[in-house]
Amino acid sequence: MKTIRTHFQKHVWITKHILKELSLEAMDIFGKALQDEYSRDAAYRDDNHDILWLHNSYGEPEEMPVDIFFRTEEEMPELELIALQHCKGKTLDIGAGAGSHALLLQQKNIPVVALDISKAAIQIMQDRGVEHTIEADLFKLQSDPFDTLLLLMNGIGITGSLDGFRTFLNQAKQLLNPGGQLIFDSSDISYIYEDTEKPTDRYFGQVAYQYEYQGLKGEWFNWVYLDQKTLFTIAEACGWTAELLFDDGEDQYLARLQPKDSI
């Protein structure tokens, strides 16, 4: 069985959870798991506890480690630290989860707003000290523009498909000030098809997921991983310049996009 790798642990394969296809029930499932992790005494976090399962369209269900949303700066991979170093001006942390990236940006005196669709996540971020939060669906967001849009931990996957990514790029232009930037990471998941043929009815980087926690299951939703060639091709066609900021040599990379007409 193949699993999708990320940039810091090979057993972690999906992260961010703001999804326009995701139902309130599914968000409650993720939010409940996040809240339980936050409420559990750190001294007992290694004890047996309810597991957040991630069902997928390419293999057996696997455990999603919720504690990754509470990582410290020392626990973050190089890719994420480089991304934070490139943030400038007013920054929107999209799919902020428990707020770990937003908290680090605050410490660096970067004005940051943390966006999440989960009410539980917003409450946790506020409890942890994130100063500015927005509980909203990214795709319905009405806001003053930002200088940086940040999506980490494969966060660009929220766009769900190549068409969804194109639509998001058009929307993102409206969320950016002149000279603004979009920073995100993604993965080339060709390796999960080493022993099987790639799908012919969709882009091979489009997969589907479903959360399960405490016996409750959410709805299936689409998620997309972009290989670098596809990213650069779509960015060019949509009027963006694309720059590779980091490549970990193991399928994961960090990119910066800027609208051509604002550079």
Side-chain angles (χ1 to χ4, degrees):
M1 180 194 72
K2 299 292 185 180
T3 61
I4 291 179
R5 301 190 290 261
T6 67
H7 49 276
F8 60 101
Q9 288 291 340
K10 299 309 179 186
H11 66 282
V12 179
W13 44 147
I14 183 178
T15 50
K16 293 294 187 179
H17 60 282
I18 297 185
L19 304 153
K20 63 180 177 182
E21 296 93 350
L22 195 54
S23 68
L24 178 61
E25 178 187 11
M27 285 308 309
D28 286 342
I29 289 174
F30 182 89
K32 174 60 175 173
L34 202 68
Q35 185 64 60
D36 286 353
E37 178 68 24
Y38 179 62
S39 301
R40 189 163 57 250
D41 191 313
Y44 299 98
R45 283 187 175 174
D46 291 332
D47 289 358
N48 292 330
H49 59 276
D50 292 312
I51 293 174
L52 177 62
W53 291 102
L54 195 65
H55 299 266
N56 59 68
S57 58
Y58 51 83
E60 296 297 320
E62 298 179 12
E63 179 181 356
M64 183 174 181
V66 185
D67 60 344
I68 64 173
F69 293 96
F70 297 90
R71 286 168 298 136
T72 64
E73 183 174 9
E74 291 72 22
E75 294 171 322
M76 290 182 186
E78 183 180 7
L79 181 150
E80 292 182 14
L81 297 178
I82 292 174
L84 296 178
Q85 291 170 3
H86 279 86
C87 290
K88 63 179 182 180
K90 186 179 179 183
T91 298
L92 181 65
D93 181 9
I94 298 171
S100 294
H101 297 123
L103 288 170
L104 285 180
L105 289 174
Q106 281 183 186
Q107 293 175 17
K108 299 176 185 296
N109 295 317
I110 298 291
V112 58
V113 177
L115 171 73
D116 208 290
I117 201 170
S118 167
K119 184 180 295 293
I122 293 294
Q123 185 60 60
I124 290 170
M125 285 191 282
Q126 292 173 346
D127 291 346
R128 296 183 76 200
V130 177
E131 296 173 358
H132 303 289
T133 61
I134 299 178
E135 180 187 340
D137 182 334
L138 168 64
F139 301 96
K140 299 177 182 178
L141 180 63
Q142 300 291 324
S143 172
D144 293 334
F146 296 85
D147 300 299
T148 299
L149 303 179
L150 178 68
L151 300 95
L152 288 182
M153 300 168 73
N154 283 308
I156 201 65
I158 65 173
T159 58
S161 66
L162 296 187
D163 284 343
F165 178 58
R166 294 185 183 97
T167 298
F168 171 70
L169 288 184
N170 291 328
Q171 177 198 8
K173 292 179 181 178
Q174 309 305 314
L175 290 174
L176 284 174
N177 284 317
Q181 60 180 350
L182 168 62
I183 296 177
F184 63 87
D185 64 315
S186 194
S187 307
D188 182 346
I189 62 170
S190 299
Y191 56 83
I192 70 172
Y193 300 105
E194 291 174 355
D195 300 324
T196 185
E197 293 185 0
K198 292 181 179 179
T200 58
D201 60 340
R202 66 184 186 279
Y203 170 58
F204 73 86
Q206 180 180 326
V207 297
Y209 290 113
Q210 179 192 49
Y211 286 128
E212 179 181 359
Y213 186 66
Q214 295 181 340
L216 297 175
K217 291 183 179 180
E219 294 181 359
W220 285 90
F221 57 90
N222 290 328
W223 198 264
V224 66
Y225 296 88
L226 300 164
D227 68 276
Q228 292 183 29
K229 181 179 179 180
T230 298
L231 164 64
F232 277 75
T233 299
I234 293 178
E236 174 69 23
C238 292
W240 294 72
T241 64
E243 174 188 4
L244 192 65
L245 296 178
F246 181 80
D247 187 330
D248 73 351
E250 296 184 356
D251 315 303
Q252 189 86 11
Y253 66 90
L254 178 69
R256 171 166 57 193
L257 275 61
Q258 293 180 281
K260 289 182 179 180
D261 57 5
S262 70
I263 298 176

